[in-house]
Amino acid sequence: MLDATTRSGGTATASPRATTTEPTAATAPAVPAPQVSPPVAAVSPSPVLSLVARCGRALLSPWARLALLVILLATAATCVLLFEPQKLLTHGWPPQLGGAAAASVFAVAYGLCTVAFVPRPLLNLAAGALFGSQFGTGSALTGTVLGAGLAFGLGRLLGQDALRPLVRGRWLKAADGQLSRHGFRSMMAARLFPGVPFWAANYCAAVSRMRSTSFLTATALGSIPNTAAYVVAGDRASSPTSPAFLTALAVIAVPALAATTLAWRKRHHLRAG
């Protein structure tokens, strides 16, 4: 039987049949299996570290810082009562110091004493008696700004967070709003006119949102007349009939009378509030 090529009269050549080879499991390259890392067990903090963290949070809480502030102020007041720095007026300043050095040391002591609630008029009189009008005024003003800055910093750092939520009363809110919105002029009025204790004004300003620059600037400028008057009075206390002493008394008395008159005229507004 003739095939199809023979019947057509041509010569047939056998062509190789195309074969395709597919990789089999035996010939396919081996793919490495992905490395699976073992699960990492959660490391729980040690009990000691947990205790330290809890103690740190407790010590940094607002009420803990307020308690620290109270302890510091109570300690300072106790030291003043025990060591009686007013004895410097009777025994004199340490003899190894003199001039500007003694006035500088007195300014530092002045600032620390104001933080410990020592009345500024006594310190101003002492500055005048020890150093005279010029050195005494410079030393007292430096100590005033230093003490105000220390009290403001302590109150802002240790007491503000705990005390601000307690500002709820009508008068307290009004005072806080006045200090926060009109810090400079409010502090100038508090320094120029007596009536508000120095330490009370410092810590009230610290609890408010008053800026530190406004506080210190108003303290430095507003304290000049009253401080200089007390220093001159202390310097001229031995001659109470001298014009300088009488002028100093007038500078002290006039703001006090003005503050009293203003408070008397505003008493109806205070009662109504």
Side-chain angles (χ1 to χ4, degrees):
M1 185 174 181
L2 298 177
D3 57 9
T5 305
T6 304
R7 287 194 301 267
S8 63
T11 305
T13 58
S15 60
R17 180 177 297 178
T19 59
T20 58
T21 59
E22 296 181 357
T24 60
T27 61
V31 178
Q35 299 290 333
V36 179
S37 58
V40 179
V43 180
S44 59
S46 63
V48 176
L49 294 178
S50 300
L51 180 61
V52 170
R54 287 196 299 268
C55 292
R57 287 193 297 269
L59 292 176
L60 294 177
S61 65
W63 287 104
R65 284 181 287 160
L66 179 62
L68 177 61
L69 176 62
V70 173
I71 292 173
L72 290 176
L73 296 180
T75 302
T78 303
C79 291
V80 168
L81 293 176
L82 292 178
F83 293 103
E84 298 180 357
Q86 65 272 14
K87 289 183 178 179
L88 292 175
L89 292 177
T90 56
H91 299 289
W93 197 251
Q96 63 270 20
L97 295 176
S104 300
V105 174
F106 182 85
V108 175
Y110 185 113
L112 295 176
C113 287
T114 57
V115 176
F117 310 111
V118 176
R120 284 183 62 249
L122 296 179
L123 297 172
N124 293 332
L125 291 172
L130 291 172
F131 306 109
S133 299
Q134 294 182 356
F135 275 109
T137 301
S139 180
L141 284 175
T142 304
T144 296
V145 177
L146 177 62
L150 287 175
F152 184 87
L154 287 173
R156 180 62 59 88
L157 179 64
L158 300 178
Q160 187 187 44
D161 292 340
L163 294 177
R164 278 207 65 81
L166 302 180
V167 182
R168 297 176 181 175
R170 193 170 184 177
W171 286 9
L172 291 178
K173 286 185 177 180
D176 177 69
Q178 184 71 17
L179 290 173
S180 300
R181 292 190 300 269
H182 311 289
F184 180 82
R185 72 183 188 186
S186 299
M187 191 51 55
M188 277 287 291
R191 301 308 190 195
L192 286 173
F193 299 101
V196 179
F198 183 73
W199 60 269
N202 295 337
Y203 292 113
C204 288
V207 174
S208 72
R209 293 187 174 92
M210 181 188 299
R211 293 183 300 175
S212 59
T213 53
S214 300
F215 171 78
L216 293 176
T217 305
T219 296
L221 296 177
S223 300
I224 292 176
N226 187 268
T227 301
Y230 273 101
V231 171
V232 172
D235 182 28
R236 302 300 179 90
S238 58
S239 54
T241 57
S242 63
F245 184 83
L246 295 177
T247 302
L249 288 184
V251 174
I252 294 172
V254 168
L257 292 176
T260 303
T261 304
L262 182 61
W264 177 261
R265 295 182 61 181
K266 296 292 184 180
R267 69 189 188 281
H268 299 295
H269 297 282
L270 294 176
R271 290 176 181 175

